[in-house]
Amino acid sequence: MVSVLVVDDSVVVRRLIVDALSGDPGIQVVGTAPNGKVALSKIDMLKPDIVTLDIEMPVMDGLTTIKEIRKVHPRLPVIMFSTLTSVGASATLEALASGASDYVTKPANVGSVAESIRSVREQIIPRIYALCKVGGGPVRGGVRPAPSAPSAPVSLARQPASGTGTPQVVAVGCSTGGPDALSKVVSALPVAFPLPIVVVQHMPQVFTKMFAERLDRAARLKVVEAQAGMPVQPGTVYIAPGDYHMEVVRRGPGVFTQLQQGPPENFCRPAVDVLFRSVAAVYGGATLGVILTGMGQDGKRGSEGLVAKGAEIVVQDEATSVVWGMPGAVATAGLAHAVLPLNEISNHLINRVAGGRTVRSRG
């Protein structure tokens, strides 16, 4: 049984979250709090497995609260509740950088209380199970969250990729915990890094734009939210916009971004698999694929296509991942050529671009 503390200044929202969670037999709401100050005392008293935390609250807001939580409880999972606005997105990204585990968005423009509860339930229950590393729990379409780790030790790393020569592109997929992980990888790359980097981070509209702007300020490389028809150029990071699949296409001698709103894949739009398929078609074995922390299995099928073309796939290891669903799915399928701690991935990319091979594999 997963115990949850719900923190929100709105009585209506607290009730909404409690109702959304009450129907799951594996989850128990052990308490609620109207602000961060009350929440801190209840965390010590109730010892919940996970906390849901509003951002805008009186007395002590969510940003202050997450920083205080992390001083005493560095590993306690915390899910932020955010609005789909520029202000909400900015505050959420700040909360993630301050140690929040993940976020969900508050229902907007829904027709009924029942629809609001359904929206919250579909977003939050899979995250609770994944962050608490508990198998099971119903989610959208009756699909259960992917296990965060294999049940028994397995050999995770393949032999170094044969490839087709010098890498020409880096393709990255990430989800839960991804904003912080991606920031650490990209910020460590030098201004002279010679490859384009195309990224799918599971995020809604507004959030991806704010995230790209935030990362652009922190990194030495140029970071943009991708728009349709952008030339894919060295030294630039392209973030797929929320609610759009991003692909790359070759037109004459150049490669360009392409956006489309086809059906979600793996319940996601943008989806890593969509991007990776297009990268495999355009760049083939001259690709460095990277799967960072994230819930679910998005990127596994796309990695299969890249590996079939001779590309190299690097995944973040379990110990440094917030959720080892996406990288774990790729690694346990035998598709990863290197399984590395987060702080080694940027050096690995730099080394490969310079002509080296796999730095170190872990399994």
Side-chain angles (χ1 to χ4, degrees):
M1 181 73 70
V2 179
S3 59
V4 183
L5 174 65
V6 176
V7 186
D8 200 293
D9 66 306
S10 167
V11 175
V12 173
V13 174
R14 290 202 302 272
R15 184 74 260 167
L16 184 71
I17 299 171
V18 171
D19 289 346
L21 297 179
S22 62
D24 191 286
I27 295 174
Q28 179 184 14
V29 177
V30 293
T32 63
N35 59 63
K37 185 176 181 179
V38 175
L40 292 175
S41 64
K42 288 201 172 185
I43 288 172
D44 293 334
M45 179 176 63
L46 299 173
K47 295 179 171 52
D49 296 314
I50 191 166
V51 175
T52 71
L53 183 60
D54 188 26
I55 291 177
E56 297 181 9
M57 297 181 294
V59 184
M60 183 182 288
D61 64 17
L63 289 177
T64 304
T65 305
I66 184 61
K67 292 173 183 176
E68 292 300 314
I69 289 174
R70 285 295 169 252
K71 291 177 182 178
V72 184
H73 306 283
R75 297 186 180 277
L76 176 65
V78 177
I79 300 175
M80 306 303 296
F81 250 66
S82 174
T83 55
L84 269 172
T85 64
S86 295
V87 173
S90 179
T92 301
L93 292 170
E94 180 66 30
L96 293 172
S98 298
S101 309
D102 202 359
Y103 67 94
V104 297
T105 55
K106 293 182 178 181
N109 300 320
V110 294
S112 67
V113 172
E115 182 67 14
S116 295
I117 291 173
R118 184 192 65 79
S119 173
V120 171
R121 180 182 292 125
E122 288 184 350
Q123 290 187 78
I124 200 168
I125 289 179
R127 287 167 169 81
I128 288 174
Y129 280 109
L131 290 168
C132 293
K133 295 181 169 58
V134 177
V139 298
R140 284 171 290 192
V143 180
R144 293 175 181 268
S148 61
S151 57
V154 293
S155 177
L156 297 178
R158 297 168 57 92
Q159 294 298 311
S162 55
T164 58
T166 304
Q168 297 177 17
V169 69
V170 177
V172 183
C174 43
S175 185
T176 310
D180 184 59
L182 185 65
S183 295
K184 285 182 168 63
V185 171
V186 171
S187 297
L189 296 175
V191 68
F193 190 75
L195 303 185
I197 302 175
V198 288
V199 179
V200 163
Q201 161 68 51
H202 295 157
M203 273 186 169
Q205 288 179 308
V206 181
F207 279 66
T208 47
K209 182 177 187 295
M210 302 293 293
F211 177 52
E213 292 173 353
R214 183 184 182 92
L215 187 52
D216 183 60
R217 292 192 295 268
R220 283 166 282 192
L221 301 177
K222 181 181 180 181
V223 183
V224 298
E225 182 189 49
Q227 299 177 19
M230 281 184 164
V232 178
Q233 299 176 330
T236 302
V237 181
Y238 301 85
I239 308 290
D243 202 34
Y244 285 85
H245 291 308
M246 181 173 71
E247 299 170 305
V248 294
V249 293
R250 186 174 295 281
R251 295 175 186 154
V255 177
F256 298 84
T257 57
Q258 177 172 283
L259 305 180
Q260 48 103 341
Q261 286 189 300
E265 295 193 21
N266 308 301
F267 304 114
C268 302
R269 190 171 62 206
V272 180
D273 281 343
V274 173
L275 174 64
F276 276 22
R277 282 199 302 268
S278 71
V279 170
V282 171
Y283 292 98
T287 302
L288 290 173
V290 180
I291 298 291
L292 300 176
T293 174
M295 185 175 66
Q297 299 190 33
D298 190 23
K300 178 184 173 183
R301 290 182 178 177
S303 294
E304 290 173 351
L306 282 170
V307 169
K309 294 278 192 175
E312 178 180 339
I313 305 295
V314 179
V315 305
Q316 184 176 350
D317 70 359
E318 182 183 5
T320 62
S321 294
V322 174
V323 177
W324 208 54
M326 286 168 54
V330 173
T332 55
L335 298 167
H337 300 87
V339 181
L340 300 174
L342 180 62
N343 63 3
E344 293 185 16
I345 291 176
S346 56
N347 284 337
H348 178 84
L349 298 178
I350 294 167
N351 181 72
R352 285 291 289 110
V353 168
R357 283 298 180 186
T358 299
V359 176
R360 179 158 60 94
S361 297
R362 289 190 171 188

